């Protein structure tokens, strides 16, 4: 966003992103959401749940 208005993003220098900005002072706000971050969090939480469940049953089985 430039001065609160959403802008189109363009490819710049092969691997970068850019926006067109007119001459002068502006307030630029960039919001970025890493692709795959939500599924990654879900998988991590599920794995931790499985880990703690297995740990609980192992300690219960050992009588600790």
């Amino acid at each position: 966003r430039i001065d609160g208005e959403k802008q189109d993003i363009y490819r710049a220098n092969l691997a970068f992103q850019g926006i067109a900005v007119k001459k002068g002072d502006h307030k630029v706000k960039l919001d970025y959401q890493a692709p795959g971050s939500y599924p990654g969090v879900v998988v991590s939480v599920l794995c931790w749940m499985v880990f703690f469940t297995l740990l609980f049953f192992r300690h219960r089985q050992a009588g600790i």
Side-chain angles (χ1 to χ4, degrees):
R1 296 183 181 271
I2 299 177
D3 299 328
E5 295 182 25
K6 191 172 182 179
Q7 300 293 313
D8 292 328
I9 299 173
Y10 303 101
R11 177 177 264 176
N13 294 336
L14 297 176
F16 299 99
Q17 296 178 344
I19 53 176
V21 180
K22 294 180 182 177
K23 194 183 255 190
D25 293 333
H26 300 281
K27 182 178 179 182
V28 178
K29 181 180 178 187
L30 301 173
D31 294 322
Y32 179 75
Q33 177 70 34
S37 62
Y38 180 75
V41 168
V42 171
V43 169
S44 294
V45 168
L46 290 174
C47 288
W48 279 108
M49 288 171 54
V50 168
F51 171 74
F52 283 118
T53 302
L54 293 174
L55 191 66
F56 172 76
F57 283 116
R58 182 174 178 163
H59 280 277
R60 188 173 178 199
Q61 188 178 38
I64 295 176

